[in-house]
Amino acid sequence: MISPLAYVDPSAKIGNNVTVHPFAYIDKNVEIGDDNEIMPYASLMSGTRMGNGNKVCQGAVIAAVPQDFAYTGEDTIARIGDNNVIRENAVIIRATHADHETSVGNGNFIMTGARLSHDVTVGNRCIIGNGSQISGNCIVFDCSILTSNVLMQGNTRLGSYSVVQGGCRFVKDIPPYIVAAHEPIEFYSISTLVLERAGFSETLVKHIAQAYRILYKANTSQHDALIRIREQIPNSPEIENIIKFVESSKLGIIH
């Protein structure tokens, strides 16, 4: 059902069983899948590509124009997957150039006042807390959590199943499966509760904890720590994920 009090550009492509409430705004060059709900005063701007089963709440803006001096007016994309909740006044900014996209996966919960800047990639089942800011070209991997008012500086990465405590800011990468806290931000612990709720076995959680004891507590270089992890801990996709994440970091990881 599309309210006659909403503005929907005639060229917008809208799927089946979509509810568009009064005073919502849907621009040209917008594609919306099935079973979505667009609440009053939400705006889906040019470049929105939305999957199925999403809810966009009051005042949220999807595919806002990039806040990037490199933007030259190209038609660019913000792609939203399936079954996301985008709460009040959240802003998702589209890509700066046409050869890239801002991308949000499936099953994410983006809370009130959060901002995802240009060319950000968010995986699946993440939580972006109230007022948190993700700067341009950042990557948020699956099942990670930014709690309230976190500032994620440009080009940084947040590893899968990691948690960043409220009010923190970071300019280096945060590896997977950990809790990051304090000011300046640092490794606090592994994210045991998150891992247990996700079904990680007790043995695997112990292996992850052992890997981070070596990486952060062994008083050795990062290179040697990774060698020790390979030698001392049974290999698994999760341990390999830690190693590859650290090895591929261009900015370095938090202390």
Side-chain angles (χ1 to χ4, degrees):
M1 186 273 290
I2 299 176
S3 169
L5 297 178
Y7 175 80
V8 180
D9 189 275
S11 68
K13 298 178 181 179
I14 299 178
N16 298 317
N17 194 35
V18 173
T19 300
V20 181
H21 289 270
F23 312 117
Y25 179 89
I26 298 178
D27 205 352
K28 65 182 184 301
N29 187 27
V30 169
E31 298 178 12
I32 304 172
D34 301 335
D35 303 311
N36 293 288
E37 184 175 13
I38 314 301
M39 300 295 288
Y41 303 105
S43 297
L44 275 58
M45 309 303 294
S46 176
T48 298
R49 301 290 184 270
M50 182 173 288
N52 304 320
N54 299 285
K55 183 173 184 178
V56 183
C57 293
Q58 290 89 334
V61 181
I62 313 297
V65 173
Q67 298 178 99
D68 184 352
F69 291 123
Y71 178 65
T72 58
E74 297 177 65
D75 288 335
T76 59
I77 299 298
R79 189 175 302 279
I80 313 298
D82 301 333
N83 302 314
N84 298 285
V85 176
I86 302 169
R87 291 299 299 265
E88 296 82 0
N89 301 314
V91 178
I92 300 174
I93 296 173
R94 57 192 172 96
T96 297
H97 300 297
D99 60 352
H100 201 259
E101 295 182 352
T102 299
S103 176
V104 175
N106 304 321
N108 298 289
F109 190 25
I110 300 173
M111 294 187 181
T112 300
R115 179 177 67 88
L116 281 59
S117 194
H118 63 88
D119 303 286
V120 160
T121 299
V122 175
N124 304 312
R125 303 185 305 283
C126 298
I127 298 173
I128 312 299
N130 297 317
S132 288
Q133 308 283 308
I134 303 177
S135 300
N137 300 291
C138 289
I139 301 175
V140 178
F141 287 90
D142 292 352
C143 304
S144 54
I145 300 173
L146 295 173
T147 58
S148 297
N149 298 310
V150 173
L151 176 57
M152 188 173 180
Q153 294 279 13
N155 301 292
T156 53
R157 302 180 302 160
L158 176 61
S160 52
Y161 294 94
S162 278
V163 179
V164 184
Q165 290 194 349
C168 289
R169 61 185 179 90
F170 57 101
V171 298
K172 293 186 176 183
D173 294 342
I174 295 178
Y177 318 120
I178 74 167
V179 176
H182 303 147
E183 179 59 42
I185 198 168
E186 61 183 0
F187 169 81
Y188 179 74
S189 68
I190 66 166
S191 53
T192 305
L193 185 59
V194 172
L195 299 180
E196 290 176 346
R197 287 179 174 175
F200 283 54
S201 69
E202 182 179 350
T203 298
L204 182 54
V205 172
K206 288 180 179 178
H207 289 167
I208 292 170
Q210 184 181 354
Y212 280 112
R213 279 195 296 271
I214 294 171
L215 187 61
Y216 281 110
K217 308 295 185 182
N219 196 26
T220 188
S221 70
Q222 181 175 291
H223 176 75
D224 288 344
L226 295 178
I227 292 174
R228 292 188 188 185
I229 291 171
R230 283 195 170 101
E231 292 175 346
Q232 297 177 19
I233 301 175
N235 194 28
S236 65
E238 292 75 18
I239 296 300
E240 196 62 32
N241 186 27
I242 294 170
I243 293 169
K244 289 183 177 179
F245 187 97
V246 174
E247 288 180 333
S248 64
S249 178
K250 297 178 181 178
L251 301 175
I253 62 172
I254 62 169
H255 296 302

